[in-house]
Amino acid sequence: MSTVNLDNFPKPPNPVLNMCWHPFRIRIMHWKPVITANTLSFHYGKHHKTYVDNLNNLLANSDLAGQSLEQIIRATAGQADKAAIFNNAAQVWNHMFYWHSLKPNGGGEPSAVLKQKIEASFGSLEACRKTLQAALTQFGSG
């Protein structure tokens, strides 16, 4: 079984400010009508930014300051006393993954390789879609 490499996002250049806030690189206009400018602005500029700010506050003067986002997630997973750090770090990672997954005119059918993996795991694309739809009731999945 292979391990998943979570080290996909750059380590912050400033060791004092652990997680940096990066301006959105893609024009909001590209996402109409799928995602409105208001929704995107709110979700990125307020919701995601709150996780970044909370995480920076939680990491201040901690032994985790200066580590990569993935190192923080790995170090705090399953530790009740570090649940707040884990939850905020995981949400920062989730949001960064989401933003990096978007592209203008994206969507449609997955690549052949991804489709094979989905079918191997779920049986079909439709079964995967149903599972993902059911997951929307899980906190933090939306």
Side-chain angles (χ1 to χ4, degrees):
M1 174 182 249
S2 65
T3 59
V4 177
N5 179 8
L6 297 175
D7 294 318
N8 294 316
F9 304 113
K11 187 174 180 180
N14 180 348
V16 176
L17 180 64
N18 206 36
M19 292 302 125
C20 297
W21 185 244
H22 300 285
F24 201 65
R25 293 183 233 163
I26 302 168
R27 292 176 49 123
I28 290 174
M29 303 288 290
H30 288 176
W31 310 114
K32 289 181 178 180
V34 177
I35 305 173
T36 67
N38 187 47
T39 299
L40 191 57
S41 177
F42 178 81
H43 198 83
Y44 185 77
K46 292 189 171 96
H47 186 70
H48 180 182
K49 187 173 185 316
T50 298
Y51 288 122
V52 172
D53 292 344
N54 287 345
L55 182 58
N56 280 326
N57 289 332
L58 290 164
L59 293 173
N61 301 316
S62 84
D63 58 335
L64 297 168
Q67 293 188 24
S68 74
L69 185 56
E70 293 78 14
Q71 289 169 325
I72 293 165
I73 291 168
R74 287 183 184 116
T76 57
Q79 294 190 33
D81 63 325
K82 298 198 184 214
I85 293 174
F86 173 80
N87 289 339
N88 282 278
Q91 285 300 323
V92 170
W93 193 96
N94 288 340
H95 283 78
M96 289 173 69
F97 179 79
Y98 176 71
W99 303 126
H100 283 82
S101 298
L102 295 175
K103 67 178 184 176
N105 304 314
E109 293 294 311
S111 68
V113 172
L114 180 57
K115 185 176 181 181
Q116 285 178 334
K117 291 181 185 240
I118 290 170
E119 290 172 344
S121 295
F122 295 93
S124 69
L125 285 173
E126 186 57 32
C128 178
R129 287 184 182 112
K130 286 181 181 177
T131 300
L132 292 173
Q133 186 66 32
L136 290 176
T137 60
Q138 173 67 37
F139 174 77
S141 68

